[in-house]
Each structure stands twice: as C-alpha cells, then as structure tokens.
Amino acid sequence: QVQLVESGGGLVQTGGSLRLSCAASGSIVRINGMGWYRQAPGKQRELVATITSGGRTNYADSVKGRFTISRENAKNTVYLQMNDLKAEDTAVYYCHAFVVRMIDSEFSYWGQGTQVTVSS
C-alpha cells in the first residue's frame, strides 16, 4: 500500500504564492522520480515540474522562474513552491511518484489532486 496525499491548495490573488506538499506513505523501499502535473478545465493534464531522486529538476516553460520543486527524501515528500501566481495557473494539481516497493518493482502513483485557484 502506497498513498500520496497533497496539501496546500487554495484560493490566492494574482501575484500571490502557495506551497503545495505531497507526502508518500506506505510500503516504500525508495521513491525515484516525483513530480507535479495540473489540469485546467477544458485542457489535458500537463507536466508542471519533476524532480529525480538525485535532485535534478525539470519545469514546464510556463512556470520557469516562478515555481520551484524540491523534495525531502527522508520524509518521502515533494514540494512545489508557487510564486507570482497568474490566472492561467488555475488548475487541479496532481502529485505523482514512481515508487519502488520491491527490488525491480516500480509502480506509478498519483495523488487525488488539490485545487489551486488564482484570481484578482
């Protein structure tokens, strides 16, 4: 059993900040890549940011310079610091992780999503 639980979503004004957290728990040997994805109404789910177990990051062009992904491996937690939020950032944000439960057994997990709404 592995669960990913997001927190930190909410309503903010344009230019504001939020920090999303995603904590993984359960039968975990190791977590490899982790990331954040988002889906806005009428749009497909898109990658926001990813981070490897070694800390290498990747960002969507639309959030570069504004968002920062980080992780605390000892806590099995990934964060997304979101600064200078814009209306177009409004979406449901989903946490994702590749979790190793047994040797050579990697599983893909998704959180339930957390709503981020940005308005003036």
Side-chain angles (χ1 to χ4, degrees), residues 32-46:
N32 292 326
M34 303 186 78
W36 291 94
Y37 295 73
R38 68 187 182 187
Q39 188 165 22
K43 297 183 178 180
Q44 62 184 350
R45 187 174 297 185
E46 64 177 352

Side-chain angles (χ1 to χ4, degrees), residues 30-105:
R30 178 181 177 85
I31 300 179
N32 292 326
M34 303 186 78
W36 291 94
Y37 295 73
R38 68 187 182 187
Q39 188 165 22
K43 297 183 178 180
Q44 62 184 350
R45 187 174 297 185
E46 64 177 352
L47 182 149
V48 177
T50 60
I51 185 167
T52 68
S53 60
R56 193 162 191 258
T57 59
N58 180 56
Y59 296 93
D61 288 342
S62 59
V63 306
K64 286 181 179 177
R66 299 188 297 119
F67 292 9
T68 302
I69 188 170
S70 61
R71 63 191 288 172
E72 294 186 63
N73 292 334
K75 297 181 179 180
N76 292 329
T77 299
V78 63
Y79 305 95
L80 185 68
Q81 179 65 47
M82 309 165 68
N83 297 325
D84 191 24
L85 284 160
K86 306 177 184 299
E88 52 263 41
D89 296 318
T90 296
V92 177
Y93 284 70
Y94 297 90
C95 175
H96 175 265
F98 285 111
V99 179
V100 177
R101 297 175 62 193
M102 297 177 290
I103 188 167
D104 294 329
S105 298

